[in-house]
Structure formats: structure tokens, C-alpha cells
Amino acid sequence: MRGNQANRLNDGGLIDRSAPLNFRFDGKAFSGFEGDTLASALVANGVKLVGRSFKYHRPRGILTAGSEEPNALVELRSGARREPNTKATTAELYEGLEAASQNRWPSLNFDVMSVNQLFAPIFVAGFYYKTFMWPAKFWEAIYEPAIRRAAGLGRAAGLSDPDHYDKVWAHCDVVIAGSGPAGLAAALAAGRSGARVILCEEDFVLGGRLLADGGTIDGLSAAEWVARTVAELEALPDVRIMTRTTLFGVYDGGTYGAIERVNDHLPAPPEHQVRQRLWRIVAKRCVVAAGAIERPIVFAGNDTPGVMMASAMRSYINRYAATPARRIALFTNNEDGWRTAETAIAAGLQVAAVIDARPDVSPAHRSLASKGGFPVLHGSVSGVDGGKSGVRKISVSLTGGARAEVEADGLAVSGGWNPAVGLTSYHRGRPKWRDDIAAFVPDGAPPGMVAAGAANGAFGLGACLREGFEAGATAARDAGRSGNTGSMPVADDAAFSLTPLWHVAGKGKAFVDQQHDVTASDVELAQREGFQSVEHLKRYTTLGMATDQGKTSNVAGLAIMAAVSGKSIPETGTTIYRPPYVPVAIGAFAGHHRDENFHATRLTPSHHWAAEQGAIFVDTGLWKRAQWYPRAGEKDWLESVTREVKAVRSGVGFCDVSTLGKIDVHGPDAGAFLDRVYINAFSSLAVGKARYGLMLREDGIVYDDGTTSRLAEDHYFLTTTTAKAGLVMQHLEFCRQVLFPELDVQLTSVSDQWAQFSIAGPKTRDLLKEIVDPAEDLSNEGFPFMGAREVKLRGGLKARLFRISFSGEMAFEISVPARYGEAMARNLMIAGKPFGVTPYGTEALGVMRIEKGHVAGPELNGTTTAADLGLGKMMSTKKDFIGRVMAGREALTALNRQVVVGIKPTDKARRLRSGAHIIPKGETPGPDNDQGYVTSVCFSPVLDQWIGLGLVERGRERIGEIVRAHDPLRGEDYDVELCNSVFYDPDGGRQRG
Amino acid sequence: MRIVCPFCGERELGEFTYLGDAKPQRPAAGADAVYDYVYLRDNVAGVMSEHWYHGGGCRAWLKVTRNTLTHEISAVEPAAGAGAAKVGA
């Protein structure tokens, strides 16, 4: 079936004519074949206009046949899978493909914004900076939204990405970027040597330029040689060939980034398959055989649809059997461009003329011209007549000054080739200029990497094979693989003669960067305005800053810059190259780490039980903790939390506190070690006792707190806050390994090994007696406040019991091996039933700690000292400890510091809010009168009003003073009283009883 | 970047946490000396001795000799007290 593919050749090409594919572009139905890209299918269907340009909304066609494409960008797919700025030149055709052109309204053919062209004089380089200066507040409200509507690319889907992405590691000896002649030869040599090889090819077919340009290798046609080579590589045990995979970056230590488009060639990934896979490849050596990119020549009208790179035209004709034009003109400054004339004639197309900027043309090409019946014009293209329907007529300035006109519907352009120097330059490498090919080539590369073939400036087929093979063999040898590499593939080298030509003066816009609509005159203007550095040129004109990263435009821009500033191109230099080589979806970097898998989720040992109870969970770091346990009929969280607090204070409740960091400290020097990391002493702690400890940073600020128990002479059990569990472990390991290596002490993280519950309330002992073996003495004498020891539970399980209290009630914390955590929760419920046991969550825990004036995260905020927290007296004067010296600094001991104090509104009915600032009565709120702020608040069921803690200047000396709580964020301002921070049971009788 | 942990072998950067210059030694006393130790750091362009923590592995603190310009790592050694054995035991 040929359908409407009027520009499809009857035979040839790497397309499967037995597999027709239907697709839609801007709603219109077309057909193509398996093996097509969207671009080649559009070419086959005679579609020339594929988009509107970024700034001027000029009609644009397809310029290239690869990932360097600046113009043919489309929105691919629809709905949640709509992907903007997709290159039609690399998007594989599939049945039912839907694509839409971008940046046009209401339609591609009739675009209202193309009037921008009439105002073109104001859209010069830096026009945003110059035009939309005043008034400043107009920028966000008016200018920017309007500009963004008018200038832009595709639209993001705006919906959650329905697909999955994978991230994987791979390790090998040699990774190779590109499967052209150099890449395949490198893979052959390395693979035969016995090296583990990964060959990455961006395209979906192996062969690189061989697919379009053919040639003879080892006496075989290019296609036969590629087939034979791929068969040999596939038979090697350690060679992995990855198509649809772009090696996009190189990172330290021989790590490479590659993006594999696993299922982008299908309408949607098959079930349970990923769309793309991000590879991190660790390789001992890397061969960059990424080829070269043909560069345009800048002339007026060079963006007219139908103007195409000469090599791209060969790709469409030879690889896809699709003819971009019927009557082709060729504009070249080098020998290689002529191949397009040969290709056109071989395909039965007309050649209108070859415009060659060089003084001489080879005899072979002269005879080609006379055989083909077309003129060879010495000179340059100075203008193109045509519009959205494509090229019609070409103006030529002949050498010597005369003018000529050529009628053609397609113009192939070759300005020479730029080696793809991205990968070799990503570690701030600067490529060097080679005059003979008028191009930048790699000048060294990151460690372990080498460029070969066209990527290294070797453009001949024979040279590509030679360099690739040698690079592959050397890489394998360097990686310790020394097998026989066999014979090197051989081919002839075509001559490459080039006369540099960057820019042809002429009337009309001549585009350097087609994707960002940067013209030659923009570059010249930037230079005149003083933007002499290429980095400034880039940012001022936005040259090379579009999604194609200037692959077809950067060097021409530099050359024009060099010409106007009277410097050479190497003196002008290049901008810094940065990965990725092609755009990589954020989704691929994220992989599976999104939504609920954005980070790991830690569940407490009693989580499933708590979920059964209907607990509301809150995220605290990675943990999900039960925040409160609502009961039927409770109208809001406050009612539930108040009930839980009252139940604890009048009966008994329990709470899973397993999220606290837990560290076993072992060794004869364990006590001495703890003395150095805490401000208070632990070597003096008796076995069987617990003590609250406070840790400082070396700069004297409080780091963390928690209780530590001495379970044996040489064994302490230390707890940290939930938030700092990992960091305290890291800090203590630093102290042990780096600061105090002489101490004989070992640390073991046991946070996940123990399930720990706080059991609190006046009936705690009654409940515990049901749990603990009757032989254990739980009386006040047998297990006094701050006691800590191992106990046997009913049934024989060993547990650790600590008589510590955060709630201010008679309380214990009990630890059982984590696997018994859920059973413990269930057991506490059963055993506690007669006493009305009530599970409570972190919210009730917080209420009770505020009522007791205990400090927590909001007060341990990285700016407070021990004295600020009211714990200054804990600081030992008899020993050295981390932070001791710096805690004595003037500013940290100043008398006017903001210190922890209790706060309650004078109007008992008023709700106190954390974050409210404390302002003295009668003063105007402002930075000068700001004396601190409210850090923690709760509704206190005991006091029947909202209370809080705050950090207030000299707060403890001002107990009883009425100040203002000023809350501009919520528009509130009310009187509060500074009070003792211990609101409940200040003498601590309840917890000791 | 990849670091060869003396205990675990070559591992990827993500397993490690950077702390900073490994040269300053914690002084026993003296406000000025401690101030220098806490706040004054050389910003070396070149080879530097650094503390890294292998938190995603063996929890050893390491002294890594790294060139801050090239990220080349020329040596990795365990901190004096890393590993199970006590120094001098």
C-alpha cells in the first residue's frame, strides 16, 4: 500500500513497505511505513511546513534527520502522554501516532502571531531587557505572561505522567557511544579482545551514517558489512548492544549516563514495562564514536521550509526512500556535500544547480554535472524566495559579483562537519580548532575516554574504521583484556576539501540558531553592544540555549562573532559544554522514586495494629506515626486528642515510641566516651539507672537530646530524637573513629531492633503487672523513677524496662524485640482493658510534653544553647565535652538571649498560634521590637485553655509580664502572659509516685 | 564519583557523606584554637585530605585524598578508630 505517500520512492530504503502505518499530524491522516521516523513519513507525504518559530512565528520545515534538529519539534501523543518539543526526526513512527505542530494559533497555515515578523526590528537580541523595563510591577503581571503566550514551544501535558521509568546500573570494560563505522569497529576490536562491551546507539538501527551514505568495507556493501559485524558482535558473550540509547553524559570515576527509550516507539508501553530506562554505566574505558553534525551556512531565508542539510537529504532519500524535493539545488563549501547531488541523480531526481563556494570543483564532479545536465555556480546563496509552501527560487551571488537565480523546490546545504565534541568536553574540556577541516575537535577527554572517527575529526570511511578499531583495541587492553583483535576492517578514504564559509551577506533574516530565532544580525548587535565573551553572547542572544543546545548553530555563531570582532575562531573560543547531550525526561532521573515511593516509608512495629484501630498517621521524616486514634462521634482531632490526654492523666495510655534512635554503646570506655559527647556526666551513672542527656555541636549549639541508660558496667543504651537518629549515629561514629580513637568503645545501631512503647498514667503499674512476670518488683522502691533494667515478661520474653516519663505521669517505657512489637500493642490493649487503657498518638504526646514544659524539635532548632532551653545547669564543669569551649562564647552567654518560657493568652478562650511574634506592650511590631516567637502550642485539657512555649528575650526573668503576640501572617494580635514553662505538676510528684 | 572503601571495596558516591577538611585536629583547649578548629577552613583548589562517612556501607569514617579540581581520588584510608579493633590493641 502506498497510500498518499507521493514523495516515496518505489524501492530502496530501510523501510518495510509490507508494514504500513497510519498516523495523524495536526489532525490530518497520513500513512508511512515501519522503519520511518515521523519526519521521514512527513517528507514522504510532501509535508514541508511542520512548525512555527519561537519568536517570529516563521514557517519552518525539517532541517536535519537526527537529534540535532532545531525546527521539526512537535507535541507527540495526547492527554497525559502528550510530550512537547519532541523531535520529529528521531520519533519513530507507530500505528496511530498523533502529533501536533507547536507555537501556532489558530493553525499552522494561518498563524496570527506571524505578525511578529512585521515588528521584527524590536525583537532583537536582548529585547526583553530593553523593552519591558518599566514600570517594574508590570513585569510579572503583564509583560511576562504575554511574552510567554506568544513565544514558546510545546505545551506540557499538565497531567501526571502515567508511565514508569527505571534506573539501573551497569558495569563493563568498554562503553562505546555510537554505532557508525568507528563505533562498530571499536566494538569489534574490544569485543574480540574479550572485553565486556556496551555499545550505545541513539538510533533504532545500527550503522550511523552508513545507513544513508553507504560505501564499501572489506569488499562488502556497507549494509552487508554492518549485518556481518552485528552478527559477530551478538555472538560474542560479553557484548551488549543497546539501540534507542543515547550516552548523554560522563561523570567522575568513569561513570556514564545513558537514556534508553525502551518503549517510546510504541503508542504506550506494554503492561508492566517501563517507558524509558536511565542507565548509569561504570566503565573502565569509553570510546566516543558519536560522529559529526553537518553545519548550515547562514544566509537570508535559510529557514525557509525546503532548506535542508545536505546529509539529511541523503538520509531521507537513501534510508527512508522519501524525497524532500523534486528539483534540488545544492549549496556547499566542501567535497562531501556533492554526495547529495550524486544521491539525487541516482534516485532519479532533478538537480537544479550546485552552488559551490570553493574556487575549484573536482573533474569527477564536473563530469557529474554535465552528465546530470545541471550548472555548477561558483558563489553563494544570498537569498531564498519562498514561504510556508517552501522554497521556490534561490538567489545566488556569483564569485566576481554577478547574480543568478535558480528555480528549485528544495535546497540542500552543507557548510562542513562539526565533530560531536560534547561528551569529550563535559569535564570542562575545551575543544581545539583544526584549520584543515575548519572545525573544533576534542583536545583530550575525561580520564578513560577517547574519541574516534568523525567525532575526532576523521571524516573518511577508512579513517573512521581505523581510528575506531584502534581505540577499541587500546581500550580493551587498558581494561586488562588482551585477546586477539583479528583483522581491521578496511575502506577507502574520500577526499575532504573545504573552504570555510559561515555567513553570506544578503537582504532578509539570516538565522544562526533556528530554534531560538537568533539571527546573524543579533550576533553582530551583541558584539557591538559589548558582549564580547562567547558566554555573554550566548546569554544575551540566547544562542544555543534551546532544547537542541545549539548543535547546528553554536559554531556558526562563534564564527560570525569572530568575524565582526576581528578575531580568529579559536581566539573567540567556545562556551562550556554541559550534559545532557540530548534532553532527558525528569521522570527518567526520578525512576520509580515518585509519589508514595518518592522516599522509603518506615512503619513502626505496631503500625498494622494502629491502622486497624483507625489511627490517623502523620509523616515524620520517613516514618508514618499514629497521630491520634479517632473514635466514633468525635467531631475533630482536638476532641480525640483531648480525650487521649485525659485518659492518660487519669488512667493509663500507651504510645509507640519506636521511632526514637537507639544506639547500644559497648566497651570499657563507654562511660568516658559518653562523657565527651554529652554535656552531663554518664560515667557516674549507676548500673540500672537512666539519665537525660543533652548533646551540643562543636560550636556550642544544642544538637540532640534523649535518655541514656546504663544496663551494665560496660553497656549503655542511648536514645536520640526521631529526626536526628541517623545523624547522631554518624556524629557519634565520627567522635569514636576520628576524635577519640584511643577509647575502647563500639556503637551499634539498634533502632530497628527494638519496639518501644511508652506506658503512662497513674494506672501504669496496674497494667504492667499484667504484662511483666510477677517475680519482677515494680514498686517505687524496687523500680524507682529513672530506673532501667532488663525484665522478664509473662511467658518468658526478655524486655527492657525504663522508668522514664515524657508526659509527666507515672510512666515506663518498655522495649521488646521489634518482631514482638505488634503483639505487645495487642497485649497492652487486652491486659489494659480493665483499666480503660487508651492508645495515644503523637499529638497527645506533644500536648503532654508542652504541659510539662519539655523541649522538643521546635525548641532544639539549631540556634539554641543549653541555657536557652533552661538546661544550662546540666553543663559539667569537671570535664571536656563536644561544644564546651564554644558554648562559652560571649554571644552564646549574653543575658538578653531568647530563652524558653511558657506563654498563655490572657483571654482564656483565645487560641494561641505558633509562629506569633512577641512584642512588648505599647511598642510597634517590627524587627526592632521583635523579642522572640511562639515555638510550640497546644490546647491543654488540664488548664482548659491554649498554652505554648516560646523563645523570648530574657523570658525567664519576665514571668508574669503581659506582652503582645503579633501574628501578621494570620492577621492576629492579642495579649499573652509569660509564665513558667512547666504548666503541669511543676514539682514532678506525679512521675515519681 | 566512586570511592574505594578499604573495608567494602569500590562503591558509588551515593553511599558516602562528605564532611570536610580532614586536616584540622580537635584542640584539647583554648578558645582561639577551638574557634579556628570550628570555623577556619582552607578552601583548597587542588589536592585535599577530606573526611567521608560510609553510611551506606560499613559506617567507617574515611580519610580521602581528593583533588578538588579534577575529583581524582589518590588515596583512601580508614580513620584511626575505624573498624572493630581499638587503636593500639
Side-chain angles (χ1 to χ4, degrees), chain A residues 445-509:
Chain A
M449 183 192 272
V450 68
N456 196 35
F459 295 146
L461 179 54
C464 283
L465 293 166
R466 205 159 50 239
E467 281 200 2
F469 196 80
E470 281 165 8
T474 306
R477 210 163 43 239
D478 291 348
R481 309 288 178 174
S482 52
N484 184 2
T485 56
S487 62
M488 181 168 75
V490 178
D492 289 338
D493 280 325
F496 184 81
S497 93
L498 173 142
T499 301
L501 175 65
W502 307 102
H503 176 209
V504 184
K507 272 191 186 157
K509 289 202 167 299

Side-chain angles (χ1 to χ4, degrees), chain A residues 399-416:
Chain A
T399 311
R403 311 192 73 81
E405 285 196 334
V406 177
E407 285 195 16
D409 63 346
L411 174 59
V413 181
S414 178

Side-chain angles (χ1 to χ4, degrees), chain A residues 252-267:
Chain A
D252 293 310
T255 307
Y256 300 85
I259 183 72
E260 182 185 8
R261 289 165 288 270
V262 185
N263 281 307
D264 273 2
H265 59 294
L266 300 175

